[in-house]
Amino acid sequence: MKGIAYGVGVGPGDPEMMTLKAERLNKENSVFALPGKEPRDTVAYRIAAAAEKHP
């Protein structure tokens, strides 16, 4: 299986400051690699998840 790996930053820590491209890629993809043993416990995950909730 082939795919494309995107490197996306979550910005300065405010979910409203993620780039539009980062938000689009977040919505279009279903596989994510995050740092840490428990990705859901990371700051990056919390920022991206909060950005997902913003209209």
Side-chain angles (χ1 to χ4, degrees):
M1 179 185 279
K2 291 185 178 184
I4 298 173
Y6 295 99
V8 178
V10 293
D14 183 346
E16 292 181 351
M17 296 185 76
M18 279 182 58
T19 66
L20 295 174
K21 187 170 188 173
E23 288 188 44
R24 179 179 57 81
L25 290 171
N26 193 21
K27 291 175 183 173
E28 290 178 357
N29 293 283
S30 59
V31 177
F32 301 93
L34 295 157
K37 289 185 178 183
E38 278 299 321
R40 290 180 184 264
D41 293 339
T42 65
V43 174
Y45 179 87
R46 290 194 301 267
I47 293 168
E52 179 80 17
K53 295 176 184 174
H54 287 123

